[in-house]
Amino acid sequence: YLLSNANDSQLPSRGPDASNNEKGMLMAETEKVEIMNFDQEGYLEDGKALVETGKKMAAMADQIADEGYDAIFLMGVGGTWDELMQLEYLMNKFGDRDLEVYLIHAAEWNVSGHKRMTEKSVVLTASESGTTPEVLEAVKKMKEMGIRVIAMTSPEGPIGQAVGAEGCVKMASDHGSGGCEKGYYLADCFGLRLLYRRGCFPKYDLFIEQTKDIWKDLLDIRKKFEPKAEELAKKYALAPYTMFVGSGALWGETILFAMCILEEMQWKRTRYITSADFFHGTLELVEKDVPVFLFKGEDECRKLLKQGNYFGTMLVKMGYADALLGLPHQLRGPHQGRGHRGDRHRRVRHPRPRRRLPRHRLPVDSHDPRDRPPGPLLRDGHQAQPQVSSLLSPVRLLRAAPG
C-alpha cells in the first residue's frame, strides 16, 4: 500500500493527542471497502499478537547487550535482504561511532565470508518459509563458528532447528496477509532496542507505545488506496517496462516492490534505481510510455529526489497520508508532511517533449540535464531556462510493503 498523494487532502490529520473518536474516523470512512485477496480480520489479529512477539525480540536484544558484541550483521537473501536495508539505515543513522552494522547477502557470505565477523558477532536473519537454502547453509556455518544467530522464522523449520528454538521468533503470518511490515516491526524492535541500550535511541518506549495500534491505521490505508491501486494498475499494467526511484530508508522497499512483487510474482519488467544515480545514466532511457514511480520518504535523502528534473510522459509519486499515525514529530523524519500544495494537486506530470542535441554538441556529462548548454538570451538579458518538468514537492511513505 504505497500511498498516492491524492489521499493527503482527503484524510483527516491527527496528532499524538487525538481523541478516540478522531482515531476511529479513518476506519469509519472506509469500513465497507473490500481489499482483494486480503484477510482483514486476520491481519488485525496478527498485528495484536505481534506486539507481544516484539517484546520477545526486545528481550533478545537486552540479552545480547548484556553479553556484549563487536558487530551486528543483518543477513538475508532476495526479499529479506531488501527488508533489512531499512534497519541497517536506522542503526547506522542513530548509532554511535563505535557501532558496526553490516548488511550481508547469505549467498555472497557463503562464498566470500566477512572479515569483520568473529565469534563475538551477532547475526539477525529471517526466512518466512524456514527453508531458504542460502540462509540455511550460512546459519549452519555460523553456528559452527560459535556466532550467535537470531532468526525471525518458525522454530520447527530447518533454519529454526539449525538456530535453536531459543534464538527464533516466528515471523510468518497465520493469515497470509501483511508479512512484510510485520517483519519490519520485529526487526526494528530488535535493532532499536540495541540502540536504546547504547543510549542512542532514548525514545524506544515511546516508539513501542505509539505503534502498538498501528495495524488498524495500516489496514485503513489499504482500504483508502484500493481504488487508486486499481486505477494505477489499469493505466500502467501494459507499459513496456517501469522505473522505480527511491533512496534512504525506502531504497530496500523500492527494490523489494520492483523485484519481488512485480518481476517475480507478476513477470513485469522493471528498473529500480537510486535517486542519487538516476541522472547518471538511467535518465537516458526515459522515453514516451515509460512510467517513472518516485518513492519519497521523510528522511534526509528526499532531497536527492528534488535535485533535478524527471523526464517522462508518466511521473507518478507514491507518498504518505498525514492521518497515517499519531506519531510525535520526534519519531518522524526531518521532512514531515506539511500540506505541500504540489503534493496534493499534481501527482502525474506530462512534460513537454525533450529535444535531444546532436551528440557532438553535448557536454561530457551530457546525461545530466542540469549540465546541458544554457538557452538563448531573452530580450531582458536573462538566460532562457530549459523547458522541463520540475520535481514535485515532498511526500511520505510508511515503511511497509504492498499487501
Side-chain angles (χ1 to χ4, degrees), residues 29-49:
E29 288 180 0
T30 61
E31 60 184 3
K32 296 182 180 180
V33 176
E34 293 298 325
I35 306 175
M36 184 172 60
N37 300 326
F38 190 85
D39 183 353
Q40 299 184 27
E41 294 302 321
Y43 177 79
L44 294 178
E45 293 177 14
D46 286 348
K48 184 180 297 184

Side-chain angles (χ1 to χ4, degrees), residues 142-214:
M142 291 171 178
K143 295 297 288 186
E144 292 176 357
M145 296 168 59
I147 297 172
R148 290 164 291 179
V149 179
I150 305 298
M152 296 183 290
T153 191
S154 172
E156 292 78 24
I159 294 176
Q161 293 178 10
V163 171
E166 69 283 355
C168 292
V169 169
K170 186 177 180 181
M171 182 181 68
S173 166
D174 293 333
H175 300 86
S177 299
C180 287
E181 61 260 36
K182 295 173 184 178
Y184 289 142
Y185 180 81
L186 293 181
D188 287 349
C189 285
F190 179 82
L192 296 180
R193 185 66 182 183
L194 284 178
L195 292 180
Y196 169 79
R197 289 295 302 271
R198 298 178 71 96
C200 302
F201 193 74
K203 296 186 181 299
Y204 177 83
D205 292 333
L206 177 62
F207 168 79
I208 295 299
E209 176 65 24
Q210 291 287 328
T211 56
K212 66 180 181 180
D213 294 323
I214 189 177

Side-chain angles (χ1 to χ4, degrees), residues 42-224:
Y43 177 79
L44 294 178
E45 293 177 14
D46 286 348
K48 184 180 297 184
L50 204 71
V51 174
E52 296 301 316
T53 308
K55 295 179 181 179
K56 183 176 180 181
M57 292 296 291
M60 288 182 174
D62 285 335
Q63 180 179 348
I64 295 296
D66 292 338
E67 295 173 353
Y69 55 93
D70 60 1
I72 301 295
F73 289 84
L74 310 175
M75 182 178 71
V77 60
T80 53
W81 187 73
D82 302 331
E83 292 175 20
L84 288 171
M85 282 187 187
Q86 59 88 24
L87 183 57
E88 179 202 29
Y89 165 86
L90 290 175
M91 296 191 73
N92 280 319
K93 177 177 180 177
F94 294 110
D96 54 62
R97 290 185 177 182
D98 295 328
L99 176 63
E100 296 185 39
V101 180
Y102 302 98
L103 176 67
I104 59 174
H105 194 288
E108 294 177 347
W109 185 88
N110 286 331
V111 298
S112 61
H114 197 289
K115 292 182 179 180
R116 286 294 297 123
M117 186 177 291
T118 71
E119 67 278 359
K120 296 181 180 180
S121 301
V122 176
V123 176
L124 173 67
T125 189
S127 173
E128 187 163 355
S129 68
T131 61
T132 309
E134 300 91 338
V135 174
L136 178 59
E137 179 183 348
V139 166
K140 289 181 177 179
K141 293 179 179 178
M142 291 171 178
K143 295 297 288 186
E144 292 176 357
M145 296 168 59
I147 297 172
R148 290 164 291 179
V149 179
I150 305 298
M152 296 183 290
T153 191
S154 172
E156 292 78 24
I159 294 176
Q161 293 178 10
V163 171
E166 69 283 355
C168 292
V169 169
K170 186 177 180 181
M171 182 181 68
S173 166
D174 293 333
H175 300 86
S177 299
C180 287
E181 61 260 36
K182 295 173 184 178
Y184 289 142
Y185 180 81
L186 293 181
D188 287 349
C189 285
F190 179 82
L192 296 180
R193 185 66 182 183
L194 284 178
L195 292 180
Y196 169 79
R197 289 295 302 271
R198 298 178 71 96
C200 302
F201 193 74
K203 296 186 181 299
Y204 177 83
D205 292 333
L206 177 62
F207 168 79
I208 295 299
E209 176 65 24
Q210 291 287 328
T211 56
K212 66 180 181 180
D213 294 323
I214 189 177
W215 318 106
K216 294 179 181 179
D217 296 290
L218 296 181
L219 176 59
D220 196 59
I221 290 170
R222 278 181 162 89
K223 293 179 180 181
K224 196 71 175 179

Side-chain angles (χ1 to χ4, degrees), residues 272-307:
Y272 42 91
I273 182 72
T274 65
S275 54
D277 277 339
F278 182 84
F279 294 101
H280 298 279
T282 307
L283 173 66
E284 293 297 334
L285 299 179
V286 180
E287 301 290 354
K288 186 177 183 297
D289 298 328
V290 175
V292 178
F293 282 73
L294 309 183
F295 288 3
K296 307 183 69 176
E298 286 191 348
D299 61 42
E300 60 280 348
C301 289
R302 77 179 301 123
K303 294 180 180 179
L304 300 176
L305 286 166
K306 299 170 63 177
Q307 65 173 274

Side-chain angles (χ1 to χ4, degrees), residues 283 286-290 292 310-315 349-352 354 389:
L283 173 66
V286 180
E287 301 290 354
K288 186 177 183 297
D289 298 328
V290 175
V292 178
Y310 286 77
F311 295 97
T313 58
M314 293 173 284
L315 178 59
R349 290 280 300 202
H350 299 276
R352 299 181 183 181
R354 179 167 48 130
S389 61

